[in-house]
Amino acid sequence: MEVRIVSKKRRRYYRRVRPTPRAVIDQAKDRHHVFYQGRHYKNGALTVLRHHPYAVVMIPRNTLHRMIHEFVGDVPAPSHINAQSALDQLRSLEFYGVIGENDTIQRRLEVFIALFDCVEQPTADALKKQLAIVRKFYHEPS
């Protein structure tokens, strides 16, 4: 435990720096971009798609987030035309209330897989790998 002295006059009043409990560290959440690595999504519709609020979700940092990045190396970027089409579809789905900000990561991945399946197959396959990891983490059937 580290001890810091506050001032010379008040040596007896010192502040103790306590380590963060392990339970708090394990429960920490982190922002996960469904479309990563960022260097592949640098311009135009790809940047807008990557930073879209539906494509960023809070997940447990030291468990699920680490597993996703360990087993799925990269999500290939779709073409600009397909990314723009997906953005238009996302706006429509939001407008009609089909999707929302409270959706789980499973639901978000299923929506993105539906948008890119048969159009951008490598992107859809990487999203399917993410979904399989998430389902395994939450013990859901595939």
Side-chain angles (χ1 to χ4, degrees):
M1 191 177 302
E2 183 179 337
V3 176
R4 293 185 187 155
I5 296 174
V6 176
S7 69
K8 248 184 178 177
K9 291 180 181 178
R10 299 180 183 182
R11 278 193 190 254
R12 65 183 178 162
Y13 302 111
Y14 56 87
R15 191 176 69 188
R16 292 184 181 169
V17 180
R18 292 190 171 94
T20 307
R22 186 71 189 162
V24 173
I25 293 172
D26 288 341
Q27 293 174 356
K29 294 199 175 225
D30 203 5
R31 286 178 25 174
H32 172 66
H33 288 84
V34 172
F35 299 101
Y36 64 92
Q37 297 174 354
R39 61 190 169 116
H40 299 305
Y41 296 85
K42 283 276 188 196
N43 47 8
L46 293 174
T47 302
V48 176
L49 178 65
R50 182 172 190 270
H51 294 294
H52 192 280
Y54 201 70
V56 181
V57 64
M58 297 296 286
I59 59 173
R61 177 187 307 157
N62 290 332
T63 51
L64 180 58
H65 200 178
R66 191 170 286 178
M67 286 170 52
I68 289 173
H69 285 285
E70 183 178 341
F71 293 112
V72 182
D74 190 19
V75 178
S79 67
H80 289 281
I81 294 169
N82 290 330
Q84 186 61 49
S85 174
L87 284 169
D88 294 339
Q89 291 295 321
L90 282 175
R91 288 185 195 110
S92 296
L93 292 171
E94 283 176 336
F95 179 77
Y96 290 110
V98 177
I99 61 174
E101 62 184 36
N102 295 328
D103 288 351
T104 63
I105 186 171
Q106 296 94 319
R107 172 83 171 129
R108 293 171 191 233
L109 287 169
E110 289 168 355
V111 168
F112 285 121
I113 289 168
L115 291 175
F116 288 113
D117 207 16
C118 298
V119 179
E120 290 286 341
Q121 201 58 47
T123 304
D125 291 341
L127 294 173
K128 287 176 184 176
K129 283 183 187 177
Q130 281 190 52
L131 182 59
I133 292 168
V134 169
R135 284 183 174 160
K136 184 177 179 184
F137 178 77
Y138 289 115
H139 305 292
E140 292 181 3
S142 294

